[in-house]
Amino acid sequence: MRILVMNPNTTASMTTSIRATATAAAAPGTEILATEPLWGPESIEGHFEGYLSAAAVLDRLATLDAPFDALVMAGFGEPGREGAQELLDVPVLDITESAAQMAMMLGHAYGVVTTLDRSVPQIRDRLLTAGLLQRCAAVRGTGLGVLELEADPRRTVEVIVETAREVVRAGAEVICLGCGGMAGLQEEVAAALGVPVVDGVAAAVKFAEAVVGLGLTTSTGRSFAPPRPKVIGAWPLSAHLSRGRDQGSARHTEFSAKTSDI
């Protein structure tokens, strides 16, 4: 089984940490591929960057030539998952719903600790759309930007724990780490809190293994039917750009290298 994990931003070091967490969670025999878009924001902290990222992720998926059995989208509370479900014929899971679903199996109410406070409404909207908000006790921001998470790992854990304690006081019995950049921190945070802590990347990988193992995939009967054939100007964008730059040499070389690296 091969699972593709997609970091929605273009920061390669974050892809590396996400890959490590996914690999650690995967069962023997599951191969983890990990990559990021070829263009788009270096981090996602708002609706504007989220929608840019969604387009960049779909562009990457449309031009990727490596086979895989399931896709894990490693952005918390960000758009694009439904588009990927229409585009691909394999199961698509995102870390937001996967984390919340797993948390609800472990406690009556869960909470989310994320990065900046401005991300809180976006995450709440995503949970509401997914039908998962009713059992969410609280969503809280740490005040750390996405790229700050890697700057001082010790301080990052301290701030997450401090914020998570507020969420526990609000009634949460389980904590979800609300950013792909927090991947791998669940054990340290859980040890400090004394309650289960769910990492969305790990949860999504395990759900993906289960869905593939059961021979299931996304229903195409209605909501996620494949896109209707039509002309889409300059799509896919990465291929369009490569053709327009000196026969595409510079961009095409970068794209080919990234494809082989996953």
Side-chain angles (χ1 to χ4, degrees):
M1 183 186 309
R2 305 179 89 198
I3 298 176
L4 173 64
V5 182
M6 177 67 71
N7 173 16
N9 67 47
T10 57
T11 300
S13 60
M14 199 161 290
T15 303
T16 299
S17 65
I18 289 170
R19 179 190 289 111
T21 296
T23 300
T30 296
E31 181 183 359
I32 298 295
L33 312 176
T35 191
E36 65 277 334
L38 301 181
W39 54 273
E42 63 179 352
S43 65
I44 303 162
E45 295 163 327
H47 294 285
F48 171 71
E49 293 162 353
Y51 283 103
L52 279 180
S53 168
V57 165
L58 292 174
D59 178 272
R60 182 74 165 120
L61 292 171
T63 53
L64 196 64
D65 61 6
F68 52 91
D69 300 299
L71 170 68
V72 168
M73 299 182 71
F76 208 96
E78 290 148 21
R81 192 254 304 160
E82 295 88 349
Q85 286 180 291
E86 292 186 9
L87 180 66
L88 303 176
D89 59 2
V90 300
V92 178
L93 297 99
D94 84 319
I95 66 173
T96 316
E97 294 185 21
S98 295
Q101 293 280 10
M102 185 163 287
M104 290 191 300
M105 299 176 190
L106 304 175
H108 179 267
Y110 71 94
V112 179
V113 176
T114 189
T115 52
L116 300 179
D117 182 67
R118 65 176 296 168
S119 300
V120 171
Q122 195 169 349
I123 290 172
R124 289 182 61 84
D125 284 351
R126 187 70 190 177
L127 293 172
L128 177 63
T129 300
L132 301 169
L133 187 60
Q134 184 175 358
R135 287 174 59 185
C136 181
V139 182
R140 296 281 191 275
T142 59
L144 295 173
V146 172
L147 299 182
E148 292 180 81
L149 296 173
E150 296 180 332
D152 186 344
R154 181 180 296 275
R155 175 59 178 159
T156 294
V157 171
E158 291 174 353
V159 174
I160 291 173
V161 169
E162 179 182 346
T163 307
R165 287 199 174 106
E166 297 177 11
V167 176
V168 170
R169 286 193 291 270
E173 300 169 6
V174 183
I175 295 296
C176 297
L177 298 180
C179 178
M182 296 177 179
L185 302 180
Q186 64 272 20
E187 292 183 4
E188 290 182 81
V189 177
L193 289 176
V195 301
V197 175
V198 179
D199 173 79
V201 173
V205 166
K206 301 312 289 184
F207 279 132
E209 288 178 332
V211 172
V212 173
L214 291 169
L216 300 172
T217 192
T218 305
S219 171
T220 59
R222 191 181 187 189
S223 301
F224 305 118
R228 298 182 66 188
K230 64 185 66 176
V231 174
I232 303 177
W235 177 262
L237 181 59
S238 55
H240 177 77
L241 291 174
S242 69
R243 287 194 296 268
R245 289 189 182 178
D246 298 324
Q247 310 299 325
S249 58
R251 187 66 176 185
H252 184 70
T253 299
E254 178 188 356
F255 172 70
S256 298
K258 285 207 170 200
T259 299
S260 63
D261 284 345
I262 68 168

